[in-house]
Amino acid sequence: MTVANTGTLAGRVHLAYTLPAGVTDAGTPGCAAMGGGNWQCGEWAAAPGAKFTSLIRVRVDGGAWRKMPLSGSVRATASGAGTATAADNEGFAVLFPPGPPAPGMSLDAEEVAFDISGGPAELGVRLGNTGRVDAAGRVEVVLPDGVSVLATPGCEVVSPTRTRCDAGTVAAGRTATLRLPVAATPQAQRAAPLAGAVIAQLDPRSGRTRQMQMSFRITAAVALATPPAATPVPTGSQGVIAAGGQTSDRGAMNSAQRIAVTLIAVSGLLVVLALALATSSLRRRMSGPVPDPSANPASD
């Protein structure tokens, strides 16, 4: 876990993290269990621009792969002088390679990456039949809360977090590729990186059914975006800013504001003067003598 003080004030930084089921702390100095998979670490002083890294040692149980997908989170909270505070939360994924080994099949799942728009992304799954006979393929996608596979032909929703898709007949020596649209709520994207899982099955015409599973990472650009700086909320009347930077409720104006008002007034006077001159000219033309048509005879 890397923490950086990107502000202008020194602060005290507190770290905490949550481990998923099947993953435990392997003895990290300065961190203590708080129950429910939550751990609380010590406090560090961080000057402006300071950056430090804390290594958390974890142990993954031998049967944790059966519970995939597994995701955890890290939280950093900083407190400065007075009531100034800052906080950040980031997830992490515990990933497992394809397994257990199953002769006659292969499996690969791509990372799902949501761009800054937050719109749907795509999950690519490749199910290979390395056996000698054709086999019926099936893929089951398991996703964390807030992430789901959109309606896709050949797929059915088994539960809010599980979707089962038919891969059709996979010929011997061939690979079936599925492209599944995936959506995520804004809250789920902010908690990324997360983990998803794919459970694949091949049912050959002859022989035993084979099965493999693996996990994949889910990332989101919005989770990496820097949040906008907080805007102070006025506590009193929103008066005019005085020359000394203080708020005044009496309507006092600084030099820049006085110049702006003067320019507006001069512009208004110029417009009035132009209209008056145009009106006077038009009146003189209308009150003058009427031209005699015979005074200007037409010439060949």
Side-chain angles (χ1 to χ4, degrees), residues 136 162 251:
R162 287 177 175 261

Side-chain angles (χ1 to χ4, degrees), residues 68-69 140-149 156-164 195-199 216:
M68 70 171 76
E140 189 167 307
V141 181
V142 186
L143 296 170
D145 292 338
V147 186
S148 60
V149 175
E156 62 173 337
V157 177
V158 180
S159 71
T161 59
R162 287 177 175 261
T163 301
R164 184 177 298 141
V198 172
I199 304 172
F216 57 89

Side-chain angles (χ1 to χ4, degrees), residues 150-257:
L150 298 178
T152 305
C155 298
E156 62 173 337
V157 177
V158 180
S159 71
T161 59
R162 287 177 175 261
T163 301
R164 184 177 298 141
C165 299
D166 184 5
T169 299
V170 185
R174 305 299 294 270
T175 299
T177 301
L178 285 75
R179 296 288 177 184
L180 306 176
V182 179
T185 63
Q187 181 178 1
Q189 293 193 38
R190 286 193 297 269
L194 300 169
V198 172
I199 304 172
Q201 179 177 300
L202 278 180
D203 188 8
R205 295 177 180 176
S206 59
R208 296 191 310 171
T209 298
R210 307 157 191 161
Q211 181 172 302
M212 293 180 70
Q213 64 187 67
M214 65 173 295
S215 54
F216 57 89
R217 190 186 306 271
I218 301 172
T219 62
V222 69
L224 302 177
T226 302
T231 302
V233 178
T235 56
S237 172
Q238 299 185 29
V240 182
I241 302 299
Q246 298 296 322
T247 301
S248 172
D249 293 332
R250 298 174 181 247
M253 295 187 294
N254 57 28
S255 59
Q257 291 169 327

